[in-house]
């Protein structure tokens, strides 16, 4: 992650909360948030799914939930503030760590004794790019769910970091229909799926860096995923890149699922 190199060892000199809703999960309130973080040194930068946390000297951590639209940015002192700036940290090297969040579904709080792993997110599973992610353990727990494979991918207690877009793209690449029951997936299918999930996430992260001014470092991948990279997501009616069949859209968990009906046939009742 690009964030660590910019914040580790840096002291926070000033904290500005531009929107109180962005610290609503910090129960003691905005003043306590800014007071406790001022003149404190950041000693790490960790990520799990849509959460980031910055371990602090003394054992607490700043916990950030990116929500639907949250982004953490590093900006030089002369860079214009991004739209939707909610919280700003002035660092002792002159750079600023900025939390921008258009829809304010995300937010920040201080996690007491959360430096190693904030207890608030201990139930969130690791993401497939995490060096400590365990594929064999994932396979076992996935099969136990006995549910549709996409539903399982979106379950953060099983695997984190996989949103609707990543899931659809990875399922098309494997290829697997989203309704395939996890109980019947072969080891090879699970391994292929995991590989594709990881690849899609890496591609999105790599592209995320180019959607901002070069002075910004975007550490939240999915928002930067360019539409031209997408094989199925949002491509209803267009030709499948593999076989030419028209991409289909289904309603799924209040959202949409996009598939190629030929490459990803829907499982028949009583089979798979
Ligand atoms: Zn196809």
């Amino acid at each position: 992650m690009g964030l660590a190199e910019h914040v580790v060892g840096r002291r926070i000199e000033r904290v500005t909360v531009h929107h109180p809703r962005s610290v609503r999960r910090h129960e003691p309130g905005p003043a306590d948030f800014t007071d406790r973080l001022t003149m404190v040194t950041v000693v790490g930068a960790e990520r799990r799914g849509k959460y980031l946390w910055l371990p602090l000297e003394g054992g607490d951590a700043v916990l950030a939930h990116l929500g639907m639209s949250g982004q953490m940015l590093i900006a030089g002192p002369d860079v214009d503030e991004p739209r939707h700036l909610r919280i700003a940290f002035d660092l002792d090297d002159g750079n600023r760590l900025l939390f921008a969040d258009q829809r304010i579904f995300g937010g920040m709080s201080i996690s007491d004794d959360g430096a190693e792993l904030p207890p608030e997110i201990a139930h969130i599973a690791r993401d497939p790019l995490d060096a400590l992610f365990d594929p064999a353990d994932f396979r076992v727990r996935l099969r136990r769910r006995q549910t549709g494979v996409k539903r399982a991918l979106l379950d953060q207690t099983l695997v984190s970091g996989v949103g609707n877009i990543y899931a659809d793209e990875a399922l098309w690449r494997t290829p697997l229909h989203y309704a395939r029951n996890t109980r019947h997936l072969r080891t090879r299918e699970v391994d292929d799926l995991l590989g594709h999930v990881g690849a899609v996430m890496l591609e999105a992260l790599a592209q995320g860096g180019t959607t901002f001014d070069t002075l910004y470092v975007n550490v939240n991948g999915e928002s930067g995923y360019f539409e031209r990279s997408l094989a199925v997501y949002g491509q209803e009616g267009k030709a499948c890149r593999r076989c030419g069949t028209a991409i289909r859209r289904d309603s799924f968990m209040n959202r949409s699922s996009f598939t190629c009906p030929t490459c990803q046939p829907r499982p028949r009742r009583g089979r798979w």
Side-chain angles (χ1 to χ4, degrees):
M1 170 170 70
L3 190 61
E5 61 186 284
H6 295 280
V7 299
V8 173
R10 299 269 67 85
R11 194 175 62 227
I12 298 166
E13 299 205 316
R14 196 158 72 106
V15 183
T16 312
V17 175
H18 292 276
H19 201 304
R21 247 176 77 203
S22 292
V23 291
R24 66 192 178 283
R25 289 188 183 87
H26 186 70
E27 287 177 10
D32 181 82
F33 183 83
T34 56
D35 288 351
R36 281 178 61 191
L37 295 178
T38 303
M39 303 310 280
V40 172
T41 299
V42 176
V43 298
E46 306 289 339
R47 178 180 178 133
R48 192 172 280 200
K50 286 265 182 186
Y51 289 88
L52 296 172
W53 75 97
L54 305 177
L56 304 170
E57 60 176 345
D60 295 337
V62 183
L63 177 62
H65 178 34
L66 299 176
M68 300 286 284
S69 56
Q71 289 166 335
M72 296 285 280
L73 310 161
I74 294 286
D78 304 323
V79 175
D80 288 343
E81 291 182 344
R83 292 180 68 199
H84 314 300
L85 175 63
R86 306 305 181 199
I87 302 170
F89 300 85
D90 293 1
L91 306 176
D92 64 352
D93 63 354
N95 285 332
R96 309 181 78 205
L97 172 65
L98 306 175
F99 178 69
D101 186 10
Q102 182 181 353
R103 298 168 72 179
I104 325 193
F105 291 154
M108 286 186 153
S109 58
I110 299 175
S111 174
D112 296 325
D113 300 318
E116 195 168 321
L117 174 63
E120 296 90 336
I121 59 166
H123 63 288
I124 306 273
R126 294 181 189 280
D127 71 59
L129 302 182
D130 191 318
L132 296 176
F133 183 84
D134 181 346
D137 176 63
F138 171 78
R139 215 157 44 217
V140 170
R141 294 193 302 128
L142 179 73
R143 287 192 178 124
R144 258 190 227 139
R145 292 294 158 109
Q146 306 192 17
T147 185
V149 62
K150 181 172 173 182
R151 193 177 285 269
L153 284 179
L154 297 178
D155 180 349
Q156 291 211 86
T157 64
L158 184 65
V159 56
S160 69
V162 187
N164 203 36
I165 301 174
Y166 294 176
D168 277 6
E169 294 296 309
L171 287 165
W172 177 81
R173 289 184 187 192
T174 303
L176 282 176
H177 190 274
Y178 61 83
R180 282 280 303 275
N181 191 307
T182 59
R183 187 158 68 118
H184 303 299
L185 292 179
R186 300 182 192 95
T187 298
R188 166 101 183 268
E189 289 174 320
V190 177
D191 289 349
D192 284 353
L193 177 63
L194 260 186
H196 289 302
V197 167
V200 167
M201 289 174 76
L202 275 176
E203 288 164 27
L205 282 170
Q207 293 187 13
T210 64
T211 58
F212 283 85
D213 188 284
T214 50
L215 290 167
Y216 288 127
V217 177
N218 180 9
V219 294
N220 177 19
E222 189 143 16
S223 60
Y225 207 17
F226 290 159
E227 196 170 332
R228 64 180 158 79
S229 314
L230 300 173
V232 282
Y233 187 85
Q235 308 298 308
E236 184 180 11
K238 293 190 186 157
C240 169
R241 293 178 188 179
R242 201 161 34 212
C243 74
T245 306
I247 300 299
R248 170 192 169 96
R249 184 182 72 82
D250 297 327
S251 293
F252 180 84
M253 292 172 73
N254 297 320
R255 287 181 283 183
S256 297
S257 271
F258 295 90
T259 54
C260 168
T262 301
C263 298
Q264 301 164 271
R266 175 179 279 280
R268 274 183 266 162
R269 245 183 191 298
R271 295 185 56 196
W272 287 302

